[in-house]
Amino acid sequence: MKKSLICISCPLGCNLSVEYNDNTILSVSGQGCNRGPIYAQKEVFTPERVITSSVKIDGAKIPLLTVKTDRSVKKSKMFDIMHEIFKIRVNAPIKTGDIICENICDSGANLVATSTVKPNNP
């Protein structure tokens, strides 16, 4: 089988051409660095992504708090995680790096705040 990918391992964004069978990468071409074949292996057989989103926040001047997973998660879990994120509501104050949800959807990743939000002062 063949697959075209854009490598996201470094800023070059190389167009990779990958040939593979059921469980083995046969060849990778188009890489500008040695990260390309490693990225191709992972992307073809076990793709992962860091999820970025926002959750509702009470007691703040803004209605949403930006969040992300602290590590990449299996692409197959993304919709379950997003569904769970939609249900989360937190209270101000929140600091960058605070864990909003530990081990979200048994993914091994924590959902963390990516910004600091102070409480709304009347």
Side-chain angles (χ1 to χ4, degrees), residues 53-98:
S53 189
S54 56
V55 298
K56 295 174 185 160
I57 185 165
D58 293 324
K61 290 182 181 181
I62 58 173
L64 298 172
L65 168 71
T66 57
V67 294
K68 73 176 190 81
T69 54
D70 63 356
R71 62 186 55 124
S72 57
V73 297
K74 291 180 181 178
K75 202 171 171 183
S76 61
K77 284 200 163 254
M78 287 179 62
F79 287 108
D80 292 338
I81 292 170
M82 288 303 298
H83 187 263
E84 190 64 25
I85 288 171
F86 181 73
K87 296 188 282 185
I88 295 173
R89 186 173 214 112
V90 296
N91 292 307
I94 297 284
K95 293 181 186 173
T96 300
D98 283 354

Side-chain angles (χ1 to χ4, degrees), residues 2-114:
K2 289 186 176 185
K3 191 171 200 168
S4 295
L5 303 170
I6 296 176
C7 184
I8 58 172
S9 292
C10 78
L12 293 176
C14 297
N15 290 305
L16 304 179
S17 179
V18 183
E19 289 188 51
Y20 62 99
N21 62 22
D22 290 338
N23 58 5
T24 306
I25 298 291
L26 303 172
S27 69
V28 178
S29 60
Q31 69 269 25
C33 72
N34 61 357
R35 296 184 206 174
I38 297 165
Y39 173 78
Q41 173 78 30
K42 193 168 194 175
E43 185 63 16
V44 168
F45 296 116
T46 55
E48 294 183 345
R49 300 288 185 274
V50 171
I51 296 176
T52 59
S53 189
S54 56
V55 298
K56 295 174 185 160
I57 185 165
D58 293 324
K61 290 182 181 181
I62 58 173
L64 298 172
L65 168 71
T66 57
V67 294
K68 73 176 190 81
T69 54
D70 63 356
R71 62 186 55 124
S72 57
V73 297
K74 291 180 181 178
K75 202 171 171 183
S76 61
K77 284 200 163 254
M78 287 179 62
F79 287 108
D80 292 338
I81 292 170
M82 288 303 298
H83 187 263
E84 190 64 25
I85 288 171
F86 181 73
K87 296 188 282 185
I88 295 173
R89 186 173 214 112
V90 296
N91 292 307
I94 297 284
K95 293 181 186 173
T96 300
D98 283 354
I99 295 175
I100 303 303
C101 181
E102 288 186 14
N103 192 23
I104 191 163
C105 295
D106 295 321
S107 65
N110 297 319
L111 189 68
V112 298
T114 60

